[in-house]
Amino acid sequence: MKSIIKQKEFSIFVIVVLLSIVLSFVSPVFLTFENFLDIIEGNVVMAILAVGMTLVIITGDIDVSVAAATTAVAVIIGSLFGFLPDSWISILILFLIAPVIGIIIGAINGMLVSKIKIPAIVVTLGTLNIINGLVLYLTNGQYLNSTNFPKPFLTFANFELFGIPILIYLLTAVAILTWFILKHTLIGRSVLAIGGKSQSAVRVGIDFDKVKLFVFAYMGFLAGVAAIAQTAYTKAVDPNGLLGVEMMVIAAVVLGGTNIQGGRGSIQGTLLGVLLLAIMQNGMILAHIDTFWQKVVTGAIIVIAVSYDQISYRRQQAKLAKIEVEA
């Protein structure tokens, strides 16, 4: 029990519970099953991207092109809707095409980072602008509604099992898969090792370039999955619909306890970070707080949380240093 309480995830969970209790007094609508389902479903895309971003940040890198990549994949599959058969085969085709396109985009980022050694922030800022420019050029910024969507896709988007939307099951599958990769596979342990001490990891035989390529390609894979989720949730393709989401994704990962400098992080922590941000936003909307104040409060909480995390981490490192010196 003591080990659980000491974990970063437990403190985030406590904050989520306390915030939920407070907001239940602000609005009686907040603490209802339907509202919580709406909160989770409305943030499935951000959560899927945050799960992938966790691996990237654990390696000490960052990817600010995730929202642009997701939008690009959504635009591509939206343009393909008119050519897909009006049957359930179209769903299978989408779940094959979208992740593959995402993997290609992510692999390009990974190749530039691992092979040419360009800093990830520079690479992904570049691809962010390239993708956004191409998307706006090809679409003229026009919104694509559901009139051309295959009926099976709309049925899939509206499907519920035991009263829970299909998108929440999709997020659960992504989270479990990524957790398993991180905790129970060689490549997952390599991700943690490189994020901790890259030079030591390379000395023991871990392929640095291979791991970097994997995390960016996997991030692209999840961007493809997120594109399907985004299209299913909004039942539309909006070239500007995800602008700025990459910052919220990064914030959720860091709030969830992943060290921005790499080396530590968890999928469950990231999901709690997403939930914390989502609850804050939902609570402020129910409390009729102006949009600009919502941004101020969210930004302040992020800065405070990251600052606290860094201070705690430095204190732990200082204690370890003292123990090593005394030994």
Side-chain angles (χ1 to χ4, degrees):
M1 189 65 183
K2 289 182 179 179
S3 61
I4 294 175
I5 294 174
K6 289 181 180 179
Q7 290 179 3
K8 176 71 175 178
E9 291 85 355
F10 182 78
S11 61
I12 303 167
F13 174 75
V14 171
I15 294 172
V16 168
V17 171
L18 292 175
L19 185 60
S20 298
I21 293 172
V22 171
L23 291 175
S24 67
F25 288 102
V26 175
S27 172
V29 179
F30 177 81
L31 207 60
T32 61
F33 181 71
E34 292 77 11
N35 187 53
F36 265 96
L37 277 184
D38 289 341
I39 291 172
I40 297 171
E41 187 182 17
N43 289 275
V44 161
V45 173
M46 183 171 72
I48 291 174
L49 294 177
V51 165
M53 186 68 74
T54 302
L55 301 189
V56 176
I57 294 181
I58 285 175
T59 63
D61 280 328
I62 201 164
D63 186 348
V64 296
S65 69
V66 290
T70 303
T71 300
V73 177
V75 167
I76 292 172
I77 63 176
S79 64
L80 291 175
F81 276 147
F83 303 96
L84 294 176
D86 197 17
S87 67
W88 285 100
I89 296 176
S90 61
I91 305 297
L92 297 176
I93 293 172
L94 284 178
F95 271 94
L96 287 173
I97 293 176
V100 168
I101 297 171
I103 288 172
I104 292 171
I105 296 172
I108 291 172
N109 286 336
M111 290 289 290
L112 293 172
V113 172
S114 62
K115 299 297 183 182
I116 307 181
K117 309 300 180 185
I118 304 174
I121 185 67
V122 176
V123 170
T124 55
L125 273 173
T127 52
L128 162 70
N129 286 285
I130 291 170
I131 293 170
N132 279 340
L134 288 173
V135 165
L136 291 176
Y137 172 75
L138 294 173
T139 63
N140 290 320
Q142 293 181 349
Y143 183 93
L144 178 65
N145 59 33
S146 61
T147 53
N148 293 326
F149 288 14
K151 290 181 181 178
F153 182 78
L154 294 175
T155 303
F156 164 79
N158 295 322
F159 182 75
E160 293 185 358
L161 182 62
F162 304 116
I164 299 175
I166 189 65
L167 295 183
I168 296 179
Y169 289 105
L170 180 62
L171 169 61
T172 303
V174 165
I176 292 173
L177 173 63
T178 311
W179 171 83
F180 181 82
I181 291 173
L182 189 62
K183 294 296 183 182
H184 298 286
T185 66
L186 178 60
I187 191 70
R189 290 191 290 271
S190 299
V191 167
L192 290 166
I194 281 183
K197 292 184 179 179
S198 58
Q199 292 182 345
S200 301
V202 171
R203 287 194 189 104
V204 298
I206 293 176
D207 191 330
F208 181 86
D209 293 347
K210 182 180 178 180
V211 173
K212 289 287 185 179
L213 181 60
F214 167 77
V215 295
F216 280 98
Y218 189 73
M219 181 72 260
F221 166 76
L222 292 188
V225 176
I228 297 175
Q230 172 71 3
T231 308
Y233 180 70
T234 60
K235 297 178 182 60
V237 176
D238 184 0
N240 300 304
L242 293 175
L243 287 178
V245 169
E246 61 276 356
M247 293 297 105
M248 296 297 289
V249 168
I250 295 168
V253 175
V254 177
L255 274 176
T258 300
N259 185 5
I260 194 67
Q261 296 174 347
R264 60 186 173 91
S266 68
I267 302 304
Q268 56 269 33
T270 292
L271 293 177
L272 285 170
V274 172
L275 184 60
L276 178 57
L277 280 179
I279 287 175
M280 284 193 301
Q281 290 181 331
N282 181 261
M284 287 186 286
I285 290 171
L286 292 176
H288 304 291
I289 297 176
D290 291 332
T291 304
F292 58 87
W293 280 116
Q294 292 179 28
K295 293 181 178 180
V296 171
V297 172
T298 302
I301 291 175
I302 291 169
V303 171
I304 292 169
V306 174
S307 300
Y308 175 78
D309 181 62
Q310 287 298 307
I311 292 170
S312 300
Y313 179 70
R314 288 178 182 176
R315 286 178 177 174
Q316 290 176 0
Q317 293 298 107
K319 289 180 180 178
L320 290 174
K322 289 179 180 179
I323 293 171
E324 288 177 358
V325 170
E326 290 176 359

